[in-house]
Amino acid sequence: MLKQNHPAWRLLNSPHAPLIASFLNRAFVVPNQRLIAQADLAEALEDELFGLREQVANDIFPKSALEYLNDWAGNDKGWLRKFYRQASDEPYFDLTPATEKAITWLGSLTERSFVGTESRLLTLFELLKQISEGSETNPETRIAELRKRRVDIDAEIARIESGDLALLDDTALKDRFQQFTNLARELLSDFREVEHNFRGLDRRVRERIALWEGGKGKLLEEIMGERDAIADSDQGRSFRAFWDFLMSSRRQEELSALLERVLTLESVAELKPDARLRRIHYDWLEAGEHTQRTVAELSRQLRRFLDDQAWLENRRIMEILHGIEAKAVALRDTQPAGEVMSIAAAAADIELPMERPLHTPTLKPKIADMVLADGADDIDAAALFSQVVIDKAQLAHHIRHALQDKPQITLAELCRTRPLQHGLAELVAYLQLGGDSFKTTVDEGAEDLIVWQASDGEGRASSRQARLPRVIFVR
């Protein structure tokens, strides 16, 4: 069954497997790219095919890049997922978990200069200890284990104070670093599979809704009684625990410091580690944020799917499908001969509203017999061309970063930590973000003074200030 149906096995059996695996690895896996627009991916594949035709033969891979991408995303292949993003009419592509598994397995076939086993054994032993201690219900046993650990720590402190400092040799350092590299890469690939499983959970819930025969109230009680069928699954709880751990600014700083120190070790540098390992935790954050957005979008779609109008539409669709199935079964043994019906070409004549010319009323110009005088005022024309563009995404990032360490922060504190660069326009942008994208509250009983530096147009800086009620951003 796996050989016939699993996309990874089909990929390995494909005569084009070297092209598919190498190209998708460079496009998605190596740069940790979660989705790519159709135009960009087709352009990259076209460049790849052009190079192969120049090196091998002109008739190799005769189809266009877009045809190959659509073929790889077909149901019979399943190597890519083609979809449309919210509020976008351009297709996007993403790897399927099966494809990433096949690429990872192909990467494991290459010869490794160093294979460590000690760190994996220690990891297994530590996992068993955590399982045993985490499932122990006897308080005395757990206290005895903690006291034993305290004795071991005190003994190690005493040895270090006496000058007996135990260090890992080069082999042990390489062993542990190789284990860290493998687990870090596996964690990145796990995000894509977690997202795929979330989509599967969402699809099963939708099927359950569409095939429901009872009343809507009973269905809502059953679906919503689970609080959230997606987020409360085992994978959802595990992912939420991972996300909470990684979102801690203290953990991020600790990871950055540890990576910086470890990568400077001479024995680790001999392994020539990937340069992206220095920012691997940021790749985790980026992949986790993409999964978070996917889960949030699935939840929003599920709520819309359950509203009254969608409920009635889906019930009507299912009734029509059941009717078609019943008629098909009845005619199974007495199929009509010849052509049953014909369908016109599946095309629509599209006439866009903006193609129609707008009505232009007739104007009767009034011509005045007068002499135009030359203007004598000295006006600075540069003011006509000066525009200020506020980057709201950068301001929103600043607010989110500030709220990682504290539950709330005032607008005045935000302006002090990151002074206003564009004056009043940037201050208004903060207020607009507070009303559209973040939870805010206004303390009418307190007043904040916000000061910024502004230029008068001749290079001289002057201080400007604004007084307003205290605006508080809440996490």
Side-chain angles (χ1 to χ4, degrees):
M1 285 185 62
L2 287 175
K3 182 179 180 181
Q4 295 173 2
N5 302 319
H6 201 281
W9 204 313
R10 286 199 297 264
L11 173 58
L12 297 175
N13 278 334
S14 171
H16 297 163
L19 166 68
I20 301 168
S22 60
F23 172 73
L24 296 181
N25 180 60
R26 286 194 302 272
F28 288 95
V29 179
V30 173
N32 188 32
Q33 195 71 29
R34 293 286 139 178
L35 49 91
I36 302 177
Q38 176 177 278
D40 297 335
L41 191 61
E43 182 181 359
L45 181 57
E46 196 64 59
D47 293 341
E48 182 86 4
L49 297 178
F50 177 80
L52 289 173
R53 290 163 187 156
E54 287 287 320
Q55 295 176 14
V56 184
N58 289 330
D59 57 348
I60 191 173
F61 301 116
K63 295 191 293 186
S64 67
L66 186 56
E67 288 180 294
Y68 280 114
L69 291 177
N70 290 328
D71 183 40
W72 299 348
N75 292 330
D76 58 331
K77 302 292 192 304
W79 302 327
L80 287 172
R81 183 173 71 92
K82 184 178 181 180
F83 62 99
Y84 289 87
R85 299 181 68 182
Q86 189 74 12
S88 173
D89 57 355
E90 182 180 10
Y92 282 78
F93 288 92
D94 189 13
L95 273 188
T96 59
T99 305
E100 189 162 13
K101 286 180 180 178
I103 293 174
T104 303
W105 183 77
L106 289 172
S108 68
L109 297 180
T110 58
E111 183 178 353
R112 291 179 291 175
S113 58
F114 174 78
V115 179
T117 55
E118 179 195 4
S119 62
R120 280 181 285 179
L121 178 60
L122 293 176
T123 301
L124 294 174
F125 184 72
E126 184 63 29
L127 288 174
L128 286 177
K129 285 180 62 178
Q130 291 178 12
I131 295 171
S132 176
E133 294 173 3
S135 60
E136 180 60 56
T137 58
N138 189 347
E140 296 180 357
T141 304
R142 301 190 69 168
I143 291 173
E145 181 63 30
L146 290 173
R147 287 174 176 166
K148 178 184 176 183
R149 199 180 305 171
R150 184 171 62 186
V151 170
D152 294 339
I153 293 174
D154 292 338
E156 186 175 358
I157 292 174
R159 285 197 304 271
I160 294 175
E161 289 176 343
S162 64
D164 183 10
L165 187 62
L167 297 176
L168 293 175
D169 57 15
D170 289 349
T171 302
L173 289 174
K174 293 178 181 179
D175 186 359
R176 283 155 178 77
F177 183 76
Q178 187 183 68
Q179 180 73 0
F180 166 79
T181 303
N182 294 336
L183 290 177
R185 286 297 180 188
E186 288 176 8
L187 185 58
L188 274 179
S189 63
D190 286 345
F191 278 113
R192 190 169 271 116
E193 187 165 6
V194 168
E195 182 181 343
H196 175 76
N197 291 341
F198 281 149
R199 293 184 185 278
L201 283 172
D202 175 73
R203 184 167 56 251
R204 287 193 291 273
V205 171
R206 290 170 185 266
E207 291 174 356
R208 195 162 146 203
I209 295 171
L211 299 174
W212 185 261
E213 298 291 343
K216 183 181 178 183
K218 182 65 176 176
L219 173 64
L220 290 176
E221 179 183 355
E222 187 169 340
I223 296 295
M224 299 306 177
E226 301 174 3
R227 296 178 59 190
D228 193 339
I230 297 175
D232 284 348
S233 62
D234 289 340
Q235 295 209 41
R237 287 193 296 269
S238 177
F239 176 75
R240 187 164 59 248
F242 162 81
W243 185 251
D244 293 340
F245 180 87
L246 196 59
M247 280 301 292
S248 169
S249 59
R250 183 176 62 84
R251 295 292 186 181
Q252 293 179 28
E253 294 172 0
E254 185 179 358
L255 276 172
S256 299
L258 287 172
L259 282 171
E260 193 68 31
R261 182 179 179 277
V262 168
L263 290 174
T264 56
L265 296 175
E266 184 177 351
S267 56
V268 173
E270 291 177 0
L271 295 175
K272 297 180 180 180
D274 189 353
R276 290 187 64 89
L277 280 176
R278 194 177 298 274
R279 60 179 309 276
I280 189 67
H281 49 306
Y282 296 115
D283 287 344
W284 292 340
L285 277 173
E286 183 179 349
E289 187 176 354
H290 185 270
T291 305
Q292 286 276 55
R293 288 196 299 268
T294 299
V295 174
E297 181 60 31
L298 291 177
S299 299
R300 284 195 296 270
Q301 291 177 3
L302 184 59
R303 285 195 295 271
R304 289 197 299 268
F305 194 65
L306 282 169
D307 67 17
D308 290 332
Q309 184 176 359
W311 166 261
L312 295 174
E313 289 174 356
N314 284 286
R315 285 297 299 271
R316 178 59 181 156
I317 291 172
M318 295 309 300
E319 290 175 1
I320 294 173
L321 290 176
H322 287 322
I324 294 174
E325 291 173 353
K327 291 181 174 60
V329 172
L331 296 174
R332 180 173 54 187
D333 298 330
T334 58
Q335 298 184 12
E339 184 178 302
V340 179
M341 64 179 296
S342 60
I343 300 177
D349 295 329
I350 300 175
E351 183 179 355
L352 299 177
M354 298 304 295
E355 292 179 351
R356 304 174 185 173
L358 299 176
H359 171 68
T360 305
T362 304
L363 297 177
K364 294 181 180 180
K366 294 181 180 181
I367 302 175
D369 187 8
M370 58 183 295
V371 178
L372 297 177
D374 294 336
D377 294 337
D378 186 11
I379 300 175
D380 184 12
L384 299 175
F385 306 101
S386 62
Q387 295 182 355
V388 176
V389 178
I390 305 299
D391 189 354
K392 292 184 179 180
Q394 188 176 8
L395 298 183
H397 174 74
H398 175 51
I399 296 172
R400 282 194 294 268
H401 182 73
L403 289 175
Q404 287 182 2
D405 299 327
K406 54 183 69 175
Q408 63 183 31
I409 188 171
T410 65
L411 177 57
E413 290 176 316
L414 287 172
C415 295
R416 282 195 295 270
T417 57
R418 184 182 182 276
L420 298 179
Q421 302 295 323
H422 303 290
L424 188 59
E426 189 172 352
L427 182 61
V428 173
Y430 268 121
L431 296 174
Q432 184 180 1
L433 285 172
D436 297 341
S437 306
F438 295 90
K439 294 181 181 179
T440 58
T441 181
V442 179
D443 185 4
E444 298 287 349
E447 187 177 75
D448 285 332
L449 178 65
I450 298 177
V451 182
W452 68 90
Q453 298 295 321
S455 176
D456 59 0
E458 297 180 4
R460 294 191 300 267
S462 60
S463 179
R464 304 288 176 86
Q465 62 183 22
R467 295 182 181 275
L468 68 161
R470 178 165 296 167
V471 179
I472 303 172
F473 291 83
V474 183
R475 183 164 60 189

